[in-house]
Amino acid sequence: MTVRPEQLRSHQWYGTDGLRAFSHRSRTRQLGYLPEEHLGKPVIAILNTWSDINPCHVHLRERAQAVKRGVWQAGGFPLEFPVATLSETFQKPTPMLYRNLLAMETEELLRSYPVDGAVLLGGCDKSTPALVMGAASADLPTVLVPAGPMLPGHWRDEVLGSGTDMWKYWDDRRAGLIGDCELAELEQGLARSPGHCMTMGTASTLTAAAEALGVTLPGASSIPAVDSGHDRMAAASGLRIVELVRHDLRLSRILTAEAYEDAVATVLALGGSTNAVIHLIAMAGRSGVRLTLDDFDRIARTVPVLANLRPGGRYLMEDFHFAGGLPGFLSRLSDVLHLDRPTVAHGTLREQLAGALVHNDDVIRPRSRPLAAEGGVAVLRGNLCPDGAVIKHIAATPHLLKHTGPAMVFDDYRTLQRTIDDPALALTRDHVLVLRNAGPKGGPGMPEYGMLPIPGYLLKQGVRDMVRISDARMSGTSYGTCVLHIAPESYVGGPLALVRTGDSITLDVESRILQLNVPDGELEKRRIAWTAPPVRYERGYGVLYGEQITQADTGCDFAFLAGPGKVADPYAG
């Protein structure tokens, strides 16, 4: 079916014979546009997360122009809208606090303006899920233009991965292995261009998930941000969105239960970020699809890790792109994918992957030689996390994946930072570091504190990993034996709130167990004595956040946005 001009959503604003339509046309003339430029044409919203303080998105001002070029050439009318920028690098306490705010802005902007389709520009960690969540709720034809990874970092004779090597060399400095001069050189070589992290961190994981869902053009998620191919992809996305509008291919036809299962399989086979667990659950909820932690654990047991990418492997995103990108990667998972579902670019995923090749078997491993036999994230259960917790065991130290040790408890991250290097704590490599009050409500916003620092005196003894447990998240570029997303969180009285220093804790990843070895009767006494901490916010957005945020196992969406129900288009006449 081809949509006629009078069937376009924007026709309600521009095409009727009334005072309001006259006003809308008059104000469009005020903007400098001729009637021939927009009347009867698909109006395309370009939602741009560009900002001067977001290095991942600093090139998106130019990419918006390429999208416009494509829209014009396809016979559409592009309009650029600035939306909130969520800079993982600079925004405190964490951009996760504002993911749902950008999702709300995206949804309401698309609903309230005379637009027929949308192109979403973003890629830094929280931007992709926020944009997709909002667009899924608005349900217009939509294409995502991923920001793309930055160039590989360099320092002396080493190739650096942003985030991953930041953690590594910071620990080297704390251990006395490098000094301030080396650190100053590293500052200049770690992040060399626009674009998001070029490891398989959260940004690359989520843009790959978006491509697997079918909301980007094929191969779009791995094109380096500064490659001319990225500009061409943006223009091609502009061309494509006009066709999607003309055929009324809405996002709800793309974001199906099968698409989300394929995205989960993709994330797990990539050895991707644990953050994807929270975001995909939230994105699925906006699409009316129920996705759970158990789905992740079930799918993890059916797919191997095939991407040899940092932090769990050797290579970086530019290597992955030229090895075949996501189309090549997915061609090696085709037996577990739902190939007959549509994408924004093709009638079926099967068509999209036809002819896809892998050009480097060490970057994208064959099934016969996986990096790991099972997907890179495991879901844990036990009396310490009755609603679940996650661990990226592919990036952990193997001998710590089954470990029992005494807890050292920190009630907040500031205290941990101030005291972790104090020899009086008498920490050993066998201790289990525990951080609480860092979850969705307690953080607030569930900051990326989960890669808890190793005490400096242990670093100097050569200890580079310990079992670490928290209700926080960690950067997808991080590594180590870090148990994350404990639900329910300690701030709301979850079992993590009851742990005391010296308690024995058992981690057994193979058995999927996280257990506090304290008798139930003692835990009940502690529960009765527990008192809730004070509220985090007394006014502003934080009050709405505190009242509505859900727990990690259900995606940390706002309850009033995650529920079922439809919202009517506004009356434009």
Side-chain angles (χ1 to χ4, degrees), residues 75-133:
F77 178 60
L79 293 171
E80 185 178 355
F81 293 79
V83 292
T85 191
L86 305 182
S87 174
E88 198 66 38
T89 308
F90 292 103
Q91 196 168 26
K92 305 298 180 187
T94 166
M96 184 63 178
L97 187 68
Y98 302 103
R99 183 200 68 181
N100 297 340
L101 186 62
L102 175 55
M104 290 170 65
E105 183 180 17
T106 298
E107 175 182 351
E108 298 305 328
L109 187 152
L110 294 178
R111 180 174 290 115
S112 60
Y113 279 97
V115 299
D116 303 299
V119 177
L120 315 173
L121 274 63
C124 192
D125 295 14
K126 312 307 177 293
S127 302
T128 297
L131 291 167
V132 173
M133 287 164 66

Side-chain angles (χ1 to χ4, degrees), residues 355-378:
L357 298 172
V358 173
H359 309 296
N360 187 324
D361 283 343
D362 196 39
V363 178
I364 301 174
R365 295 285 184 87
R367 293 287 283 271
S368 60
R369 193 166 56 90
L371 204 68
E374 290 188 353
V377 174

Side-chain angles (χ1 to χ4, degrees), residues 370-453:
L371 204 68
E374 290 188 353
V377 174
V379 176
L380 307 175
R381 303 280 183 178
N383 69 348
L384 197 49
C385 53
D387 292 337
V390 300
I391 183 171
K392 187 175 181 178
H393 53 299
I394 190 176
T397 301
H399 78 267
L400 290 175
L401 295 178
K402 187 171 185 178
H403 178 82
T404 297
M408 174 57 68
V409 179
F410 300 90
D411 283 324
D412 61 81
Y413 194 66
R414 290 185 185 183
T415 300
L416 182 150
Q417 286 181 305
R418 189 174 64 250
T419 62
I420 191 67
D421 292 328
D422 185 353
L425 294 179
L427 289 167
T428 71
R429 66 180 67 216
D430 294 325
H431 270 87
V432 176
L433 303 181
V434 176
L435 172 68
R436 55 187 173 211
N437 295 316
K441 290 191 177 186
M446 212 177 175
E448 292 183 339
Y449 293 161
M451 188 181 172
L452 309 183

Side-chain angles (χ1 to χ4, degrees), residues 346-358:
H346 290 87
T348 66
L349 180 61
R350 187 186 308 276
E351 295 172 19
Q352 184 158 310
L353 298 182
L357 298 172
V358 173

